[in-house]
Amino acid sequence: MEAGLALPASNATPPDPALAALHRFGLGARPGDDFAKIAADPRGYLKTELKQQDIALISPDDPRNAGLLDSTAAIQASMAAAMERKAARDEKVAAAMQPMPADDPAGPAVAKAKPALPRVEADIYRDDAQARLDKALAATPGFVERLVGFWSNHFCVSVAKAPVVRACAGAFEREAIRPFVLGGFADMLLAVEHHPAMLFYLDNQQSIGPDSRAGKRRGRGLNENLAREILELHTLGVGSGYAQADVTSFAAMLTGWTMAGREGRLGEPGSFVFNANAHQPGKAALLGKTYPDSGMGQAEAALNDIARHPATARHIATKLARHFIADDPPAGAVARLASVFTKTDGDLRSIALMLVDMPEAWSTPLTKLRSPLDYVVALRRAVGATAGNEPQRSLRWLSALGEPLWQPPGPNGFADSTDAWASAEGLKTRLDIAWQAAEQANDIGDPDEMLSSLIGASVSDETRVAISRAESKQQGLALLLMAPELQRR
C-alpha cells in the first residue's frame, strides 16, 4: 500500500464545511451521514448537540452501563482485591517456609499454592473503557465527546500510578468531568481537585501540615505536587506570575484533603475526606491575597479565585484554540475565547459556542493530525463499528499508537500537537492498524462509494486514484482509512 497517504496533505484553502464540522469539532463521519445537509448549516449541526441536556453524561439507565461502579465502590473493590492478593502471597510464603517431609516426593508445599487471584482493577477499567468508547461511537457529531476528551486530558490522572487509580479513572471522568463539561469551569475545577483519583495521583494524601497535630506527631511535611500542578497546568499556566512561595503556601492550604483509607477511621473507605488533624493551621497567602484559616474552605476559596483569574482565562483559551483550530492558534481567536471565559464567569457552554462561531474555525485549513484516540474512534465509526463491541482491540491500538486510555506520561497529559504524533514509526503503526481494521470489517462496501460518505466532495485526486487502483475491497478500505482527509482535523 502507499504509505504516503498517511501524511497530512498541505492545503491552503478553507476546508469543506461538513468536513470541518465532522473532523475539527466532531469524531468523524459514519456511513449514512448526509454531507450536503451538514454543509448547509455546519454551525447549527454542532450547536444542536450543545443544547441537549446532560448529553455528556454516561447514563446509568442504559443497561450496558449497569455494572459501572462509582469511584468509592471502585476504590473499595481495589482495596479488597489488594488485601486478597496480599493474603495469597503471605499464604504462599508461609507454605514455602514449611519444612518438606523427607519422604514426600512431591516437593515443598509451595508447589501446591493457589493460583494468583485476578486483578479486579483490570475488569473495572475495561468496563469503563467500554462505556467511554460506546459513547463516542454513538455520538452525533461527537463535539461534546471531543470536549470531554479535552478536559479529561487537561485534568488528567494516570492508571499507571497505582491499581487504585486504574480502578477509579473511569469513574473520575464520569463524576468530575462529564457533569461540568458544559457547565462552569470553577465547578469542574473544584470537583476535580476534591476527587480521590486526583488526590491520590498527585500524592496529596502524603501532604501533612508541619504544624498540624499529625505533622508534629509524625514529623512529616508538605508534598507540593497537587498545588504545583493546579497552578502550572490546571489554571494559571507557566509564566503567569506565581512564585515558589505561592506553591508552598497553596500546598499548605490543601493539606488535609485526602482519601479515606481502608480502615475507615476518617470516613467511608475510598471517599474524599478532610482530615483536620493534618491541615496546616493559620492564615495563608496566594498571589498577594491572604486567606483566613477556615479548614477545607481555605483552599476552596483559593480555587474559586484562581478559576476566575485572567491568566487562567488566557491559559484555557490558548489550549482550546490549539486543540480545535491549529497548533499555533490565531491570536484573535485566543483573545475572544479568553474574553468569553471572563465575561461568562467560565461558562464552558458559552465558550464552546464561541468556538463554533469564530470564523477561524471555518477558514483555517485542516492541518492538525488526529490524536490516536480521535483516530481510533474515527476509524471504528468509519467501518460501521457498533456500540457494545469488546474494547480490547481499540485499547491495544491506542497503546500501540502511544496514547493508552487514561495513561498519560505525566500530569501535563498527552501532547496536543501534530509533531507529537507524526513520526515515521507512528504513521507506520497507523497504516498497520488501518489494515487490521479493514481485515476485521464485517461488511466492506464499495470503497469508491465510501469516499463520498466518509470524506465528501473534498476528497483529493490523489486519494481517489489510489483507492480506485486498489486490488481488493479490503485494500481499498485500508487506503481510505489512511487517507490524509481522514487523518486530519
Side-chain angles (χ1 to χ4, degrees):
M1 287 196 298
E2 300 177 44
L5 282 178
L7 296 173
S10 176
N11 189 344
T13 60
D16 174 88
L19 211 60
L22 289 164
H23 289 203
R24 170 155 284 151
F25 292 102
L27 289 168
R30 296 175 297 179
D33 281 346
D34 190 336
F35 268 70
K37 184 177 180 180
I38 297 169
D41 185 14
R43 289 178 172 86
Y45 176 63
L46 296 168
K47 290 179 181 180
T48 296
E49 196 178 48
L50 296 178
K51 295 175 183 177
Q52 298 178 47
Q53 190 72 18
D54 297 332
I55 187 172
L57 302 184
I58 290 179
S59 173
D61 296 330
D62 188 329
R64 291 170 301 187
N65 301 331
L68 298 182
L69 302 178
D70 64 28
S71 57
T72 301
I75 293 169
Q76 289 176 359
S78 176
M79 290 174 171
M83 289 297 292
E84 290 178 348
R85 290 193 291 268
K86 182 179 183 302
R89 289 194 300 269
D90 291 347
E91 180 182 338
K92 189 173 182 178
V93 170
M97 295 177 65
Q98 293 296 320
M100 182 179 66
D103 58 349
D104 186 356
V110 67
K112 301 177 182 179
K114 296 179 181 179
L117 292 164
R119 297 187 67 84
V120 69
E121 297 88 354
D123 296 331
I124 299 172
Y125 170 84
R126 186 186 61 247
D127 290 345
D128 270 307
Q130 178 73 74
R132 192 193 206 274
L133 290 168
D134 282 354
K135 184 78 169 174
L137 293 176
T140 304
F143 182 26
V144 172
E145 283 303 294
R146 285 282 306 282
L147 289 167
V148 169
F150 171 85
W151 289 111
S152 187
N153 191 53
H154 179 78
F155 291 115
C156 68
V157 299
S158 175
V159 301
K161 173 74 173 184
V164 69
V165 183
R166 177 170 288 272
C168 69
F172 167 72
E173 186 178 274
R174 286 186 281 112
E175 296 165 356
I177 302 295
R178 289 184 177 276
F180 309 101
V181 77
L182 296 177
F185 175 79
D187 295 329
M188 184 188 291
L189 178 66
L190 286 163
V192 162
E193 312 306 351
H194 279 94
H195 202 280
M198 183 63 73
L199 295 171
F200 193 95
Y201 175 54
L202 292 178
D203 304 312
N204 211 60
Q205 77 280 5
Q206 300 174 16
S207 189
I208 308 293
D211 300 320
S212 67
R213 293 179 186 177
K216 291 178 179 178
R217 185 171 67 249
R218 302 179 195 175
R220 293 171 60 184
L222 300 177
N223 183 301
E224 297 182 351
N225 287 355
L226 179 63
R228 179 175 292 105
E229 305 308 0
I230 289 175
L231 297 177
E232 179 178 319
L233 302 175
H234 297 174
T235 58
L236 305 174
V238 177
S240 55
Y242 67 86
Q244 175 56 40
D246 292 305
V247 174
T248 301
S249 182
F250 192 28
M253 294 188 212
L254 288 162
T255 50
W257 290 43
T258 191
M259 180 184 79
R262 188 179 63 250
E263 301 82 3
R265 286 194 289 265
L266 296 174
E268 184 177 5
S271 66
F272 168 82
V273 291
F274 177 70
N275 182 6
N277 287 335
H279 180 65
Q280 175 70 8
K283 61 186 180 180
L286 179 65
L287 301 174
K289 180 176 179 178
T290 299
Y291 295 84
D293 186 359
S294 54
M296 182 171 67
Q298 187 180 52
E300 288 180 332
L303 283 168
N304 273 300
D305 284 343
I306 59 177
R308 295 166 171 85
H309 195 283
T312 298
R314 289 192 299 271
H315 181 53
I316 298 302
T318 300
K319 290 192 67 173
L320 281 166
R322 180 178 297 124
H323 183 78
F324 284 101
I325 300 178
D327 287 346
D328 185 13
V334 172
R336 289 195 299 279
L337 287 169
S339 177
V340 171
F341 188 103
T342 300
K343 290 178 180 178
T344 65
D345 196 24
D347 181 70
L348 300 182
R349 191 188 303 269
S350 297
I351 294 165
L353 288 168
M354 172 55 72
L355 270 169
V356 172
D357 280 334
M358 61 176 49
E360 293 91 338
W362 306 97
S363 62
T364 304
L366 298 172
T367 56
K368 283 181 70 74
L369 189 66
R370 273 182 160 144
S371 70
L373 178 59
D374 287 349
Y375 176 59
V376 167
V377 171
L379 180 150
R380 291 192 62 191
R381 286 164 67 95
V383 298
T386 56
N389 289 352
E390 55 84 19
Q392 298 292 45
R393 185 183 306 155
S394 295
L395 293 175
R396 286 195 298 271
W397 287 345
L398 288 172
S399 294
L401 289 167
E403 194 180 12
L405 186 63
W406 300 317
Q407 193 177 330
N412 57 336
F414 291 107
D416 197 13
S417 63
T418 293
D419 288 347
W421 307 116
S423 68
E425 183 62 30
L427 294 172
K428 180 182 180 300
T429 302
R430 291 188 185 221
L431 184 65
D432 293 340
I433 289 172
W435 186 250
Q436 291 175 36
E439 281 186 318
Q440 296 158 2
N442 294 327
D443 182 20
I444 302 177
D446 184 338
D448 287 322
E449 293 179 4
M450 292 181 70
L451 271 175
S452 59
S453 67
L454 296 176
I455 299 177
S458 60
V459 60
S460 68
D461 291 339
E462 179 188 9
T463 297
R464 192 180 298 280
V465 169
I467 292 174
S468 70
R469 293 175 177 173
E471 297 177 359
S472 65
K473 286 186 175 181
Q474 180 184 5
Q475 187 183 66
L477 177 58
L479 286 168
L480 171 59
L481 296 177
M482 280 302 296
E485 296 89 342
L486 205 74
Q487 292 287 330
R488 294 176 306 183
R489 63 174 176 86

